[in-house]
Amino acid sequence: MSERLAAYAQQLFNLTLSEAQQAQFARYAAELETWNKSRANLTAITGAEAIEVRHFLDSLSLLSALDIPHGARLVDVGTGGGFPGVPLKIVRSDLRLALLEATGKKIAFLQHLANVLQLSDIQFLNARAEEAGHMPEQRESYDVVVARAVALMPILMEYLLPLARVGGVCVAMKGESAQRETNEAANALRILGGKVSRIVPIQLPKVAETHHLVIVEKVAPTPPAYPRKPGIPAKKPL
Ligand code: SAM
C-alpha cells in the first residue's frame, strides 16, 4: 500500500518518500484502523487507499503550497487523529511540531503513535485553542499554524491567528467553500491581524471535489482580548 502512496507523493507533489517513511505511513494506517475500531473515534475514513489519499496525501499537499523553513515551529490545531501534523512530521523530521487537541483520548492515541513511529520533538497539548492562545509559551510563538476540518473560517481564524507570530502564516485546509468562507472572515481577519495571501487549489486522485489551502499571513499582533473564552468564538463568530 505504501508504494501507491509513494508514487502519488512523487507525481503530485514531487516528494520522494524513503523506505523508512513508507513504513511509517503503513504503520500509521494500521494504528488508525485498530484504534478507530476499539477506542477512539478518530476518523470516518476507512480502507487503505482512502486513508492514503484523503488523510496522508491531503496532509502532504501543504508542502507543495508552502515553503516551510528548516526547524520551523508548527502547530496543528484540532489535530484529531494527527492530520495534517503527523504526516508532515514524518516527511519533515526537522519540524518542531505541536499537536493541539481538546479530546484526551485522541491525545493518548497521538502519544502512542509518536512512540511506535519513533517520532521525536513533538509537543502534545491537550487543550482548547481558546486556552492555548493565552498560554505565554504558545501565544504568537509559531511560524506556521495549520488546521483541517475544525471550524468555519471566521471561527477558525480566532483559534489560529493568536498562535502565529507576526510574520508567520496560518493555513486553513478547506473544501469547495474556501472562497466563500474566506469572504465571510474579512472582519475576523482585520481584528485579529491576518491578511489572506492566496488560496491554492489542490486536486487529489479520485477525489471529485477540489480542496483549497487558504494561506493567511499574520501581519499585526492579535489584541490581548482574543481568543475569547472557550465556546464564545463558535457561538458568536467575529
Ligand atoms: N484535523 C483532523 C482531521 O482533519 O482529520 C481532525 C478533524 S475533527 C473533524 C475536528 C477536531 O478538532 C476534533 O478532534 C476536535 O476535538 C478538535 N477541536 C474542535 N474544536 C477545538 C478547539 N476549540 N480546540 C481544540 N481542538 C478542537
Side-chain angles (χ1 to χ4, degrees), residues 4-205:
R4 181 176 47 208
L5 175 65
Y8 277 145
Q10 187 74 61
Q11 183 192 325
L12 293 171
F13 308 135
N14 202 22
L15 275 177
T16 306
L17 301 183
S18 69
E19 295 270 322
Q21 288 165 336
Q22 292 178 43
Q24 283 173 306
F25 279 113
R27 182 72 193 268
Y28 191 171
E31 292 292 336
L32 208 50
E33 300 227 56
T34 309
W35 276 61
N36 217 24
K37 275 185 213 133
S38 60
R39 280 170 270 193
N41 235 349
L42 294 170
T43 173
I45 294 167
T46 53
E49 187 163 9
I51 289 178
E52 285 172 328
V53 173
R54 292 184 172 268
H55 282 324
F56 299 159
L57 272 183
D58 195 35
S59 298
L60 296 178
S61 70
L62 216 136
L63 296 173
S64 70
L66 201 66
D67 212 359
I68 306 178
H70 187 90
R73 275 194 84 187
L74 184 148
V75 60
D76 181 8
V77 175
T79 184
F83 306 110
V86 175
L88 294 175
K89 178 71 179 174
I90 291 174
V91 172
R92 287 283 308 270
S93 60
D94 60 288
L95 294 177
R96 289 177 289 157
L97 175 68
L99 298 171
L100 173 60
E101 170 54 52
T103 307
K105 244 196 230 175
K106 294 181 181 178
I107 289 284
F109 167 73
L110 295 166
Q111 284 172 323
H112 163 79
L113 183 69
N115 201 24
V116 296
L117 299 186
Q118 295 185 301
L119 298 173
S120 55
D121 206 4
I122 299 182
Q123 190 184 5
F124 301 92
L125 283 164
N126 186 10
R128 291 188 60 109
E130 298 95 314
E131 298 164 328
H134 288 289
M135 296 174 186
E137 69 283 11
Q138 305 295 330
R139 186 177 177 85
E140 303 204 313
S141 68
Y142 289 94
D143 304 299
V144 186
V145 183
V146 299
R148 187 183 79 160
V150 173
L152 293 169
M153 279 297 279
I155 304 164
L156 191 64
M157 289 300 101
E158 193 167 348
Y159 295 162
L160 305 192
L161 278 164
L163 294 164
R165 66 169 173 82
V166 175
V169 290
C170 298
V171 184
M173 305 181 73
K174 290 286 172 187
E176 301 278 10
S177 62
Q179 186 63 62
R180 179 177 48 76
E181 284 189 44
T182 304
N183 295 344
E184 288 166 0
N187 193 43
L189 288 162
R190 186 180 47 75
I191 293 172
L192 301 166
K195 182 173 177 274
V196 177
S197 105
R198 58 212 162 94
I199 300 182
V200 183
I202 302 287
Q203 203 63 57
L204 296 172

Side-chain angles (χ1 to χ4, degrees), residues 3 48 118 222 231 234:
E3 277 165 29
Q118 295 185 301
T222 298

